[in-house]
Amino acid sequence: MSHPPTLHSPLKVAVVGTGYVGLGTAALLAYFGHQVVGLDIDQDKVAMLRRGELPIYEPGLGELMAVCGDRLRWTDDYASAIPDADVIFICVGTPPLPGGQPDLRYLAAAAQDVARNLNGKMQVVVNKSTVPVGTGDWVTRIIEEHAPDYKAHQYNVVSNPEFLREGTALFDSLYPDRLVLGGNNEHGVARLLELYAPLIEQDFEAPAHVPRPAGYTRPEVVATSLSSAEMIKYAANAFLALKISFANEIAGLCERVDADIEEVVRGIGSDTRIGRQFLSAGAGWGGSCFGKDTSALISTGEEYGYDMPILRAAVTINLRQRQLIVAKLQKHLHRLQGKRVAVLGMAFKPNTDDLRDAPAHDTIARLNELGATVVAHDPVAMERARREWGHLKYVEAESAGAALVGADAVILMTEWKQYAELDWNEAVKTMRQPVVIDARNVLRGGLPGGTLERIGRRGQSQPQPQSGPALHLKPEATK
């Protein structure tokens, strides 16, 4: 079993919010040896965490929390968490409003409750939620207004954005590319450098289930202003969204000129100035970050009379990509009224149960509108879907194979490893019509006796000679 480093001066930390970011932050800092209390106003979530249960699915997180022991506790009471804390992280949600701007109500409420419970010593309030440029200054004003006996430089606000990928959050937390710390004075940033010393120096013993990658040394520390740190987070996510939309736009042209998007992105991604990551054609991006953050940047530009046409185009292409999936289905089935369609994958990506802005949601909704009967399956997200997707009409399947039985078509929406390893040549024999729409370009090879439609790649509807398993997982699909 791995053990945390022995710190010369462990700090007391409070983490407000127990979502994907808050839970990961709390577990990471407790693993490093700090005394951490996680706070959430949802008493049911706090009760779950006290029982050792997780309200989210994230591989390896439960094991890391178990190692932390009594260095990690949970509460719903600000008064028991904030006064003694040296560092307070705010990790609450900032969901998008209809106009694209982030909803900052939860952040404002958390900042006010934190401020009311500050105790007079030097404390650092860290904003880890994704927020518009200028929010750090706004949080500073909230603290000035609500903190008892406020004095300048007594409480410092720092922006420390996260760059985690759900499904690999522990790896990204322990071995990050960079650590961004934004503050308007040196005191807050200095405290964060002390807090993150084990991470920066990489002198902790790596957890057995998340080993340190070969060749990894240490993260780059980017110390900057509050505004620049906030812009770095938005700009990074917007650029990654652009890469996905670019790959999808090129994929559409590949289909028309008989080129293969997989070969094209391999060729251009080999250029180190471009890189291969996030050049993946498919159903488009989803999740809690790309759509929200890109829309927020566009909205911020509008506030200053500054148009951002490249980002607008990225959003348009992403929406078009979701419509393309059903259009490919219609090409083969024509009318969908009364047809049975299997949807494999509900989470927006594999190794998470996060359903926020998942492309599968829009696909199922469109199939409902067109009169199709939908049978859906996901290895981990179906329970969450029962709570969050009650407005959609679909039948749950107990397995991927069961979903295909009697189906007129199947759409592979999430690149779960289980789906790629399915014996598709046998599975399609149980279908009424063996039409497979691979919306993530996971499957390789031909599909004897069936029709395989992919994104930016030539479909295969005729039997092909096989020298092994007909379909298998492409290596980059697990990244």
Side-chain angles (χ1 to χ4, degrees), residues 10 45 82 114 141 288 321 452:
K45 288 180 72 174
I82 303 304
V114 166
R141 300 291 86 77
S288 63
Q321 209 65 16
L452 175 62

Side-chain angles (χ1 to χ4, degrees), residues 425 445-446 464-472:
N425 293 332
Q464 296 292 311
Q466 299 296 324
S467 57
L471 300 171
H472 58 273

Side-chain angles (χ1 to χ4, degrees), residues 10-58:
L11 298 175
K12 294 181 178 179
V13 181
V15 178
V16 181
T18 58
Y20 289 90
V21 175
L23 287 174
T25 300
L28 178 78
L29 295 174
Y31 180 75
F32 287 158
H34 300 295
Q35 291 292 326
V36 181
V37 54
L39 186 154
D40 202 294
I41 59 174
D42 186 332
Q43 296 180 348
D44 291 337
K45 288 180 72 174
V46 171
M48 284 183 65
L49 289 163
R50 285 175 174 170
R51 294 193 301 267
E53 302 172 9
L54 290 179
I56 63 169
Y57 178 85
E58 181 62 42

Side-chain angles (χ1 to χ4, degrees), residues 95-219:
L97 293 167
Q101 311 93 329
D103 186 346
L104 300 179
R105 288 178 298 168
Y106 308 108
L107 176 64
Q112 290 173 19
D113 285 333
V114 166
R116 294 187 184 103
N117 289 278
L118 295 172
N119 76 350
K121 67 177 181 178
M122 203 281 271
Q123 293 175 286
V124 178
V125 178
V126 184
N127 191 7
K128 213 160 181 65
S129 300
T130 302
V131 293
V133 177
T135 302
D137 294 329
W138 178 54
V139 170
T140 301
R141 300 291 86 77
I142 290 175
I143 292 175
E144 288 180 2
E145 294 170 4
H146 294 276
D149 303 322
Y150 175 83
K151 296 181 181 65
H153 307 303
Q154 185 176 26
Y155 308 123
N156 297 277
V157 175
V158 174
S159 175
N160 173 218
E162 53 80 22
F163 301 96
L164 309 180
R165 299 167 296 174
E166 291 178 29
T168 59
L170 288 188
F171 181 90
D172 296 338
S173 296
L174 291 164
Y175 317 113
D177 298 319
R178 75 286 204 196
L179 189 64
V180 177
L181 306 174
N184 290 339
N185 66 65
E186 62 186 18
H187 303 294
V189 172
R191 176 62 59 85
L192 266 291
L193 290 173
E194 178 185 0
L195 181 78
Y196 282 127
L199 183 69
I200 296 169
E201 299 300 329
Q202 286 290 306
D203 58 1
F204 62 90
E205 182 181 349
H209 63 291
V210 195
R212 186 177 283 106
Y216 180 81
T217 54
R218 53 186 289 165

